[in-house]
Amino acid sequence: MAPSRKRRASAEKRRPSVFWPLAAIVVPLVSLFAKIEISGGEHLPEEGPYVLAPSHYSEIDPLVVAVATWRLGRAPSFMAKESLFRVPVLGWALRATGMVPVARAGSASSARQTIQTAEGLLASGRGVIVYPEGTLTRDPDLWPMRGKTGAVRVALVGGLPVIPMATWGVQQIMPRYGKLSLWPLRKRVKVLLGAPVDLSAYAGQAGHQSALVQATDVVMARIADLTGELRGETPPAERWNPHDHGQRETGRLDS
């Protein structure tokens, strides 16, 4: 895997914002404990809206994803549960950094909010990072598990590209549900982005649950393939389904 070429910073990154002081703190801090190696960065659009769909197996992999996105010239904005935006101070911080609220799946405002999110991304030319699993994978071997439909729902409504992303190595810094391990410093973390997932077969079907589930399976299969490439292993033929193992999925963003 060849490292990504040096890219031009997008207008959103060049424009003065709260991201500047945050990046000045977060990027050097993360670089102390993670040596991030990015491949496939050319697949992330230099300008314009997108949905970035990463794997999720450690509580701190969002930091790696955010730093990688920043290094690729885009300002990282995540989808976050709507309830967090009502928390004093935290809500202000989420809005100031361009985070995108998402309503609880099945709620009356969910469909309306998806449309508003897609329209907002199109109008601003910004991207959004959505963990399609909705929470940390429950797979015992840390492979991507069954996904939720939130990422593809936003993408199909807005006609946005879905960029799959996999990371590997973060578990050496903080295992899933484990303790932070900073020593030795600068552990190797690999990040791999793939080409936009072809969801043309599902265009215009954002309102059909069966189509959303199928499209999500396509996205998760691509993330699993990227993960397998990073690990040098073949991903499981079937993704882990927590319901089949009596596991409760907390923190999920969509059904």
Side-chain angles (χ1 to χ4, degrees):
M1 294 177 294
S4 300
R5 65 175 177 81
K6 186 174 178 58
R7 291 159 48 98
R8 175 177 59 89
S10 64
E12 69 189 28
K13 184 176 177 180
R14 297 193 305 268
R15 187 182 305 117
S17 70
V18 71
F19 281 105
W20 285 13
L22 282 175
I25 297 170
V26 174
V27 173
L29 181 62
V30 173
S31 297
L32 279 175
F33 58 79
K35 181 183 179 183
I36 302 175
E37 301 174 357
I38 306 172
S39 299
E42 68 275 8
H43 297 303
L44 188 70
E46 291 188 348
E47 300 285 352
Y50 61 87
V51 174
L52 181 62
S55 57
H56 195 18
Y57 56 92
S58 169
E59 287 88 342
I60 65 167
D61 60 42
L63 284 175
V64 170
V65 171
V67 170
T69 303
W70 183 258
R71 280 176 47 184
L72 290 172
R74 302 303 302 259
S77 294
F78 289 83
M79 267 195 170
K81 290 186 293 185
E82 186 181 42
S83 58
L84 297 177
F85 287 77
R86 296 192 290 269
V87 178
V89 182
L90 175 60
W92 172 86
L94 291 173
R95 286 186 288 272
T97 51
M99 302 301 139
V100 178
V102 58
R104 180 175 57 82
S107 68
S109 61
S110 180
R112 181 175 68 253
Q113 192 176 76
T114 298
I115 295 173
Q116 292 173 345
T117 296
E119 290 176 342
L121 294 173
L122 287 167
S124 65
R126 297 281 297 274
V128 66
I129 301 166
V130 186
Y131 281 101
E133 293 163 278
T135 187
L136 293 174
T137 181
R138 298 296 193 268
D139 186 288
D141 296 319
L142 301 183
W143 289 102
M145 66 174 180
R146 187 189 65 144
K148 303 299 178 183
T149 60
V152 298
R153 191 189 301 269
V154 171
L156 291 177
V157 166
L160 309 179
V162 177
I163 315 299
M165 172 191 272
T167 69
W168 191 244
V170 186
Q171 75 281 4
Q172 301 177 67
I173 301 167
M174 188 172 186
R176 179 183 55 185
Y177 310 127
K179 295 182 179 180
L180 194 64
S181 173
L182 298 180
W183 191 261
L185 296 176
R186 289 182 58 76
K187 295 184 179 75
R188 186 186 186 198
V189 174
K190 296 181 288 184
V191 176
L192 178 59
L193 292 84
V197 181
D198 183 5
L199 297 179
S200 57
Y202 307 99
Q205 300 185 60
H208 301 278
Q209 184 64 21
S210 60
L212 291 172
V213 171
Q214 292 174 27
T216 298
D217 286 343
V218 173
V219 172
M220 294 310 304
R222 187 64 188 117
I223 296 172
D225 286 343
L226 294 174
T227 302
E229 189 172 341
L230 289 179
R231 295 172 58 164
E233 303 174 41
T234 301
E238 293 186 13
R239 271 162 294 287
W240 186 269
N241 185 341
H243 293 300
D244 293 343
H245 300 272
Q247 296 172 323
R248 184 166 173 255
E249 297 173 80
T250 58
R252 64 188 191 181
L253 295 181
D254 212 331
S255 60

